[in-house]
Amino acid sequence: MSSRLARRSALTVAALCSTALCTTVLVLPSAANAGTEDDAAARSGSVRIHDIQGKTRISPFAGKRVTEVPGVVTGVRGFGSARGFWLQDPRPDRDPATSEGIFVYTGKETPKVAVGDALRVSGEVSEFYPGGKEAGSQSVTQLSKAEWTKEKDGKRGAKLPAAFRLTPHSVPEAYAPDAGGKSIEDRELRPGRYALDRYESLEGMRVSARDVRVTGPTSKYHDLWVTTDPGQNRTPRGGTFYRSYEDQNGARLKISSLLDLDAHPFPVADVGDRLRGTTEGPLDYEQFGGYTLRATEMGTHQDRKLEREKTRPQREDELSVATYNVENLSPKTEPAKFERLAEGLVRNLAAPDIVTVEEVQDDTGPDDDGTVDADKTLEQLTDAVKKAGGPAYEWRQISPEDGADGGQPGGNIRVAFLYNPERVTFTDRAGGDATTPVKVEEKDGAPALSASPGRIAPQDPAWKASRKPLAGEFRFKGRPEAPVFVVANHFSSKGGGDLEGDEPMEGRFQPPTRHSEPQRVEQAKILNAFAKDIRAIDKDAVIVAGGDFNDFSFSPSLDALRAGGALTSPMNRLPENERYGYVFNGNSQSLDHLLTSPGAGRPEYDIVHINAEFADQSSDHDPSVVRMRLR
């Protein structure tokens, strides 16, 4: 998921983008609307915030200048490149669809206002699209080029409007209206029907969440995710499980802080922790996550002491195969990460016999210098495993062509095998390189690879700007007479990387189009056909396809992998709310999988939670392992 993470991390905080980095789109009125009643109202000073916000996502005053808009300052952002303050009308109308709050943008200048100031503000109404309109985000209605005066009888510290409390009753279960993939911007808001409409109807207003559970750990950007509905698809470890494309978990809410972090350090929280008491502040919208509570008051962090899991060791007659996305690993990576990955492999994963690893970078990491080999990266990792008391892993991999496989520019990420030579042997067969496709052949009545390791269909268009699968032939010491075929995978990213990424779940196009999905479906078909080629020679052949498939167990991609019974998902025998190893925007979800052929029997599957739910991570993915007793 490196490209998806890069997409999330391209800016430190989306709301802090400068206009040079992010696109502000002004939605201008058409000539036909000039001279309307709205124009007259804008000039007269009779416009209030709920008039500006209107009943849809786009202001009826967009592109117009309004004068003398009254309100009370409820929050100030005095840092970053998108400074300003939130203004809320203390005299709301009776329409739940019209927000009473708005952001006043002052650019790089810190506004000379304070929470509680009663103001009259004049400025230009615009719609700002975090990340640019092409990113698919919703817009933020704001005032720019603003001037203001304090109310003549206004005093600093005026009583703030009451915060709207977000609860299971106030946030609808249904997530968004279905517009057939088109924009919902012009639709009248139905805050009692849809979660996204509820949040939009509160844009810029003070909201509160009380005694909430953390569902997405604290990031390095000082934000986290909570749920305002404690019963919504809860996982056993305190997260919120993402069950389907129709079950988005609308109670999730991102929280960041407007408080001075030196005086009020942001809580370092793991999934399942709590924010006790009240967390409140203006409701904003940003590129990475959507609706975000900008806290002026933060609840008290309660550490629930979430523990990292350990899987049991494989028995003597069990073959164990694991998958682990090590997140852009190279010699440029800090040594501590190598140590922690090694510790996880040895202590938490019980030193699997075979490991498919993803996001192994070349020996110079993100330096775009033409280097493609990764021997130094893998040597440093296997040395760290030995130092941690693990086996003397050997490795196999094939270096990609420079710049051909996506991921972090210059990094040349690829998949690789680690294996314990005391437990398994690797069948080396020459002929594998970056562009030559591996074939399935019949030798002495059994399936065999034409090259081992070998890349599967590396020049097929399905792998454009994406990692190519690596197939290898192993022998398990408890079953030396028959091969075990393992395929390491890293399918194309949802973020798109060099190709078009998916529209955001919380964006203006509903339901969002999954632009990246067709490529993964084609990749899955190729891998499925490869498994069928092996099984056509031996229907009981043991095949394990592991890796970061960048898709969910319920997705068309996984359906294509399992088509015709060539591969199955032993993960699906776990309780549904335990099928996750990645946390994104407060949703616990499954992107990494280990699929097996029928010849592998009924493997025991374990997702080992050591990363994704924790603020302190050695990778953003949890590893998984299957253990098999081979016939």
Side-chain angles (χ1 to χ4, degrees), residues 213-246:
R213 190 177 73 249
V214 175
T215 65
T218 301
S219 80
K220 61 183 178 181
Y221 305 116
H222 305 296
D223 56 47
L224 55 76
W225 288 79
V226 300
T227 179
T228 59
D229 183 350
Q232 190 172 64
N233 291 327
R234 179 171 179 164
T235 71
R237 292 168 60 85
T240 296
F241 180 63
Y242 182 45
R243 297 179 59 211
S244 73
Y245 295 125
E246 291 75 39

Side-chain angles (χ1 to χ4, degrees), residues 151-166:
E151 294 277 15
K152 292 181 181 179
D153 57 349
K155 295 182 180 179
R156 178 168 292 187
K159 185 178 180 180
L160 299 182
F164 183 96
R165 187 171 174 187
L166 302 171

Side-chain angles (χ1 to χ4, degrees), residues 56 92 156 271 284 315 321 364 378 459 503 527 569 575 577 590:
T56 70
R156 178 168 292 187
V271 167
D284 195 13
R315 300 184 179 94
V321 181
T364 59
L378 290 164
Q459 298 193 69
E503 291 172 344
L527 184 55
S569 292
N577 65 353
S590 59

Side-chain angles (χ1 to χ4, degrees), residues 31-155:
N33 290 331
T36 62
E37 292 181 6
D38 285 348
D39 291 317
R43 291 191 297 269
S44 71
S46 62
V47 172
R48 303 189 78 90
I49 293 173
H50 50 251
D51 299 319
I52 297 171
Q53 288 284 7
K55 295 184 178 184
T56 70
R57 288 170 164 81
I58 300 298
S59 171
F61 288 85
K64 298 182 174 70
R65 187 166 182 85
V66 293
T67 60
E68 298 290 309
V69 179
V72 176
V73 177
T74 61
V76 179
R77 184 160 60 215
F79 52 87
S81 300
R83 305 184 188 197
F85 59 91
W86 284 268
L87 190 73
Q88 185 165 337
D89 194 333
R91 292 170 51 198
D93 64 6
R94 295 185 177 182
D95 190 340
T98 57
S99 171
E100 302 293 341
I102 196 166
F103 182 66
V104 180
Y105 171 74
T106 61
K108 296 181 180 180
E109 298 296 322
T110 300
K112 294 180 180 179
V113 299
V115 172
D117 283 351
L119 306 178
R120 285 189 174 269
V121 181
S122 300
E124 186 174 298
V125 180
S126 62
E127 296 289 341
F128 170 68
Y129 290 86
K133 193 170 184 179
E134 67 282 354
S137 299
Q138 297 190 53
S139 63
V140 178
T141 304
Q142 63 181 26
L143 295 178
S144 58
K145 302 177 183 178
E147 301 172 346
W148 56 86
T149 59
K150 293 184 180 179
E151 294 277 15
K152 292 181 181 179
D153 57 349
K155 295 182 180 179

